[in-house]
Structures are given as C-alpha cells and as structure tokens.
Amino acid sequence: MHLYQEQKIQIYNTLSGKKEAFKPIVDGYVGMYVCGPTVYSNVHLGNVRTFMSFDMVFRYLKHLGYKVRYVRNITDAGHLENDADAGEDKITKKARLEAIEPMEVVQRYTVDFHNILNTLNFLPPSIEPTATGHIIEQIELIKKIIDNGFAYVVNGSVYFDVHKFNETNDYGILSKRKLEDLIHNTRTLDGQSDKKNPQDFALWKKAEPQHIMRWPSPWSDGFPGWHLECTAMSTKYLGDNFDIHGGGMDLKFPHHECEIAQSEAAIGQAPVNYWMHANMLNLNGQRMSKSTGNTVNPDELLSGNNAFFSKAYAPSVIRFFNAQSSYRSILDLTDDGLLASEKGFYRLMDAINLLDDLKPESSSTFNVTDWKQKCYDAMNDDFNSPILIAHLFEAAKQVNQIKDGKASLTSEDLELLKNTMNAFTFDVLGLVNVLKADTGTDKLSGAVELLIQLRQDARANKDFALSDKIRDDLASAGIQLNDGKDGTTFTTN
C-alpha cells in the first residue's frame, strides 16, 4: 500500500477560497505546473521563496508515493515591461542595455537560476519547457481561440476578447474580481487603440521593426503574449485538465486569471482543479523593491556580501527559515529571524546526529507511532511545515532526554523515530545535514586554505566558473570565504 492511500491531503484552493480534500484526476498520479522565472536578471529572492515552497510540495507528494509530473517553465520571450501589452520585452531591454544578444541574456540568467536552486538543494522539475521552444503550440492555441470567437486580429496582433468571453464565462473567477469593476477602474491609455476594450489582453503581438525576438505566424512576424505561454506549455505536458497549478500571489491576477480564460476559450473546460499561491517575501518589514534599494539577491544572502545581514547563511538555514512559516503567509526576512533559524537548525541536526548513538531499552516512554502520525497530519493540512517543525523539535527533545537517561525507547521505536525524523527533515523539507565546522582544528584550516589557494589560482587564470564553484560549495558546507585587501579569510556558520 502506498502512503497516499492512508494519508489524505487537504489543499487550500484559491479558486474556492477554502481547504479541499485532494483527489488527483488519475489515482496515484499528480500533474503540477508552477510558473517559472522570466530570465532577464538574477533570480529574485521572493521568487526563490515561491519555488522553495513548491519544491517542498513536490517532495511531500513523492514521499507519499505519488508519481508526480512537475512542470516548471522558463519564460524567455514575450514578457513585456510592467506586465503590459505594449512596450519593450524585458529580455530584449536587458540585451539592448548590455549590448548582447537576447539569448545571451536568457542563457546567463537561466544558468544563474539553476545554480542558485542547486545550491539550495532543490529537486529538478520533471520537465522545464521554454516559451521559445513552444511557439508552434502557442500559434495553434491562438487559432483555436479565434475559431471559437473569443479573439480578434488587428494590424497583425491578436487580442483576447474579455467582454465576449464574459458573456458565457466568468472572467474573474480566480481573483474574485468583477469585469464591471475592472471597467470602472480602467483609464484609457495611449497605445491601446488596437484593442476593442482596455481589459483585452494580447495573445500575439506584431513585432516593431527594432524588435529582435520574433517568429513568423499567420498574422505577422511577432511574439506570443506572456499569459499564453503558460497555457500552451502546461496543457501540452499535463493535459487539458490537470491537478495543481502553483505560483506567487502576485500572479493570481492577471496572469493566472488569463490562463483560465484562454483554456476555457480554446478547450471549453477549466484547466486546473487546485490553484495554489505562495505569499510574498518582505525584507525587514518592507516590500522588496529594486527602486528603493530594499532588496537582496540569493547569492548575496548566501555569501554575506550585503548591507542587511550580519553574516552569511548556509543554504539549509535559509530553507529552514522558509519552512518555519506557512507558504500562504507573508514572510519577513530579517537578520534576527535568520539567526534564530540557524540556532534551531543546528539544534535539530545535533539531535539527529545523536540518534545512531542511542541505546534501546526494554520499554518506551514516548509514543513514537502517535508522534509520527502528527507529522503526517501537519503536512496533510495544506503542507503546514511550521507545525511539522514543532513536532520535529518535540522529537529532538526526546532524543536529548534519552541521551541523558531521562527517557527510553525500545529498539523498534528507536528505529521508527530515526527513519521518520530523517524522512521529514531531509526528504520532505529538503535540508542537508551540515555539521558545524570547528575552525580551531588544524585539519579544517589546512583543507580550507588549500581550497582558497586553488580558488586564487583559478581567478588568476580567469577560470571564474571554478572560482565561483569553490566559493559556493564551501558556502553550502557552512564555510564562508571573505575577500579583503589583505587576502581571503574564512568563517563558519
């Protein structure tokens, strides 16, 4: 019997606004799509929080024995500035500013995205499609929407007719917005003259002469609309109706709302059964913003090279910090919060590392079976990782009491406790057991000094990939390199 047959999950469905019993379309299989990054800059820490939350969901579903097809896309075209239907493509703008090809921008920041997620111990998705790799599918989807009467062509561009769609469907079903309110709150803007109504959105945009990223279509040489890309890629790999669609709260409207409308207009049915949205990440009580300087990149947090935090933090400490808050709650990133999470993380690791040394007794003073079910109950309740962590700390307390002779477990219970703690800590939460390094040992100092020298040699030879890998791998192990005018020193987390 698979675990999912006895452990029943409740998921908060944004569509209904309540928790619902999770029942996949096909028993034992789960199809999940999460909107990936637009690769025009270093991945934003707020995006990392979203992807980390769904990495945990992916891990738990796999732990329960589901066969999961997890699709997370790469947006490498068609995403315009300020999520508008007019203006400049984000990737094209970056390419123009840096005087390089757009696909050089895509490659550079896709590599950065993967490097950061690998450092933070993410599982790779089952499929990672790109928007530019699915232009044909997007064109075919537009044809269906036009044939069904929900889109129109103007001057080589194709727009979705929101008002026509709303006559027979509910545009706003996900975000709980009414079209009448959207009309009332919309001001007429320049550049929207091609649209019948300001609420309509682009499915295909005719490329201006200076626009580099363009593809032929029945309507013009142009590029797809951002909303359309996710509809085409999710349905191609998961089918016209699939189980879970995830993303950040900021994507609920208009992006996800438009996805629903496009699917219903083209296929005639709702695409997704469970919509999940991760909440925002603040920095020191304020929304992250590049314009105000209140922002920090993941690599800056990992390296300690920033103006907000007192030290570098190991990847697993960052994961642990994230898991101490529900994915649906706003999370405030602060130095005090990270320092507290660091202490908690190492306290948990210390307890897990004691497990192998504990001696079984003839009787148990702790009901491991009931405790194990509490761990499952927490994750079954909309992936409630903070409650799970509370139960893991309860077990850590028991481990220390057993070590001190104040509690006992039978051999069977001890094995069950060990397996359960390891499964939830490492398989589900994705933490890595990094022992705190002792900077006072000659062996550690000698090994790190050797790696520092190798890194200096790599930099001298302009092998920056190797140089960065040495730094990042040491950071992953809780050892922070600090470059200064007098050379490179190291500290441990």
Side-chain angles (χ1 to χ4, degrees):
M1 174 181 283
H2 291 290
L3 279 171
Y4 65 76
Q5 292 172 302
E6 56 189 59
Q7 303 296 338
K8 302 302 181 183
I9 301 175
Q10 295 274 325
I11 294 179
Y12 182 87
N13 191 350
T14 309
L15 197 62
S16 65
K18 61 184 181 183
K19 291 178 186 177
E20 299 177 6
F22 177 60
K23 183 175 174 53
I25 296 166
V26 178
D27 186 48
Y29 292 80
V30 178
M32 181 169 76
Y33 184 88
V34 173
C35 293
T38 301
V39 283
Y40 72 101
S41 66
N42 297 106
V43 62
H44 189 280
L45 199 57
N47 296 139
V48 170
R49 188 217 174 174
T50 295
F51 302 137
M52 194 176 290
S53 296
F54 286 103
D55 181 64
M56 181 183 67
V57 171
F58 181 35
R59 285 171 174 275
Y60 186 60
L61 292 172
K62 285 168 66 71
H63 171 75
L64 292 182
Y66 284 111
K67 293 185 183 300
V68 187
R69 179 176 289 177
Y70 175 23
V71 183
R72 187 188 65 215
N73 75 297
I74 296 287
T75 297
D76 56 355
H79 195 167
L80 302 188
E81 286 286 295
N82 302 315
D83 301 339
D85 279 328
E88 195 166 17
D89 184 294
K90 291 182 176 183
I91 293 165
T92 301
K93 180 178 180 180
K94 188 75 168 186
R96 176 174 56 78
L97 291 173
E98 297 191 10
I100 58 177
E101 283 287 329
M103 293 314 287
E104 287 184 78
V105 173
V106 167
Q107 180 68 15
R108 176 184 301 172
Y109 294 114
T110 300
V111 169
D112 168 74
F113 174 67
H114 288 150
N115 284 344
I116 291 295
L117 267 55
N118 288 339
T119 299
L120 291 166
N121 198 35
F122 278 65
L123 295 178
S126 314
I127 302 173
E128 192 174 53
T130 64
T132 56
H134 295 76
I135 299 296
I136 293 173
E137 288 85 351
Q138 292 170 75
I139 289 173
E140 292 304 309
L141 190 61
I142 294 170
K143 287 179 182 177
K144 287 183 181 179
I145 296 173
I146 293 174
D147 290 345
N148 290 340
F150 294 110
Y152 55 92
V153 183
V154 180
N155 296 328
S157 292
V158 185
Y159 294 97
F160 189 93
D161 193 333
V162 170
H163 289 246
K164 180 67 179 296
F165 174 79
N166 202 56
E167 290 175 3
T168 53
N169 298 271
D170 185 3
Y171 183 77
I173 190 172
L174 181 68
S175 60
K176 309 299 184 283
R177 303 188 186 203
K178 296 296 182 184
L179 184 57
E180 296 77 16
D181 297 332
L182 294 172
I183 294 170
H184 179 73
N185 293 323
T186 300
R187 291 180 293 177
T188 302
L189 301 175
D190 293 337
Q192 290 186 327
S193 56
D194 283 350
K195 297 182 184 181
K196 290 182 180 178
N197 299 285
Q199 295 77 33
D200 296 347
F201 57 89
L203 301 174
W204 186 266
K205 286 288 292 182
K206 180 181 179 181
E208 299 298 324
Q210 70 274 13
H211 200 97
I212 301 171
M213 301 181 82
R214 59 172 66 216
W215 293 266
S217 80
W219 314 287
S220 66
D221 279 3
F223 53 93
W226 172 42
H227 310 310
L228 185 79
E229 296 170 351
C230 284
T231 298
M233 289 183 281
S234 62
T235 55
K236 177 179 175 66
Y237 295 109
L238 298 175
D240 293 342
N241 178 231
F242 56 94
D243 298 302
I244 299 172
H245 193 314
M249 192 75 75
D250 56 322
L251 298 180
K252 185 164 61 173
F253 185 89
H255 185 53
H256 291 160
E257 197 73 73
C258 293
E259 282 191 60
I260 292 174
Q262 288 164 164
S263 285
E264 292 186 350
I267 303 163
Q269 69 179 70
V272 179
N273 289 353
Y274 301 87
W275 284 90
M276 297 177 64
H277 290 92
N279 217 322
M280 310 301 289
L281 180 69
N282 288 340
L283 178 59
N284 293 324
Q286 302 293 323
R287 182 172 181 176
M288 284 200 191
S289 170
K290 290 182 180 179
S291 61
T292 63
N294 192 56
T295 186
V296 61
N297 284 340
D299 58 337
E300 294 171 337
L301 185 59
L302 289 162
S303 69
N305 184 24
N306 61 79
F308 299 99
F309 301 99
S310 60
K311 57 179 291 186
Y313 290 98
S316 282
V317 171
I318 296 171
R319 283 194 74 109
F320 191 67
F321 173 79
N322 186 72
Q324 286 184 290
S325 177
S326 164
Y327 77 92
R328 288 197 291 119
S329 300
I330 294 176
L331 180 59
D332 190 21
L333 186 66
T334 66
D335 197 43
D336 287 345
L338 282 167
L339 286 169
S341 288
E342 184 178 59
K343 290 178 182 177
F345 168 72
Y346 283 116
R347 192 163 77 247
L348 182 59
M349 292 304 107
D350 287 342
I352 287 174
N353 291 325
L354 282 172
L355 283 168
D356 286 334
D357 298 328
L358 297 181
K359 303 295 187 222
E361 302 289 344
S362 58
S363 62
S364 295
T365 58
F366 178 56
N367 191 324
V368 181
T369 302
D370 285 355
W371 167 83
K372 175 184 174 181
Q373 187 55 48
K374 287 179 183 178
C375 292
Y376 280 105
D377 290 344
M379 289 302 290
N380 292 341
D381 183 15
D382 195 33
F383 312 98
N384 198 329
S385 55
I387 300 299
L388 169 63
I389 288 173
H391 293 317
L392 291 174
F393 277 131
E394 180 187 4
K397 180 180 178 182
Q398 291 295 323
V399 168
N400 284 295
Q401 288 184 344
I402 294 169
K403 181 196 72 168
D404 295 337
K406 298 176 181 178
S408 63
L409 287 179
T410 64
S411 177
E412 183 179 352
D413 280 346
L414 193 57
E415 189 68 15
L416 181 61
L417 180 70
K418 178 180 175 180
N419 291 339
T420 305
M421 286 190 77
N422 284 329
F424 279 104
T425 302
F426 304 125
D427 298 343
V428 175
L429 294 180
L431 304 178
V432 176
N433 193 350
V434 181
L435 290 172
K436 291 191 78 171
D438 179 7
T439 55
T441 65
D442 292 336
K443 288 182 180 179
L444 176 70
S445 296
V448 176
E449 291 298 339
L450 176 61
L451 288 169
I452 289 174
Q453 184 58 53
L454 289 173
R455 179 169 173 261
Q456 288 173 342
D457 293 344
R459 295 170 81 177
N461 294 326
K462 299 190 184 303
D463 189 351
F464 298 114
L466 177 58
S467 169
D468 290 347
K469 178 172 174 54
I470 292 172
R471 179 200 64 203
D472 294 342
D473 286 354
L474 283 172
S476 299
I479 300 170
Q480 174 59 42
L481 297 186
N482 305 299
D483 295 320
K485 61 181 180 179
D486 296 324
T488 301
T489 59
F490 74 95
T491 55
T492 59
N493 296 330

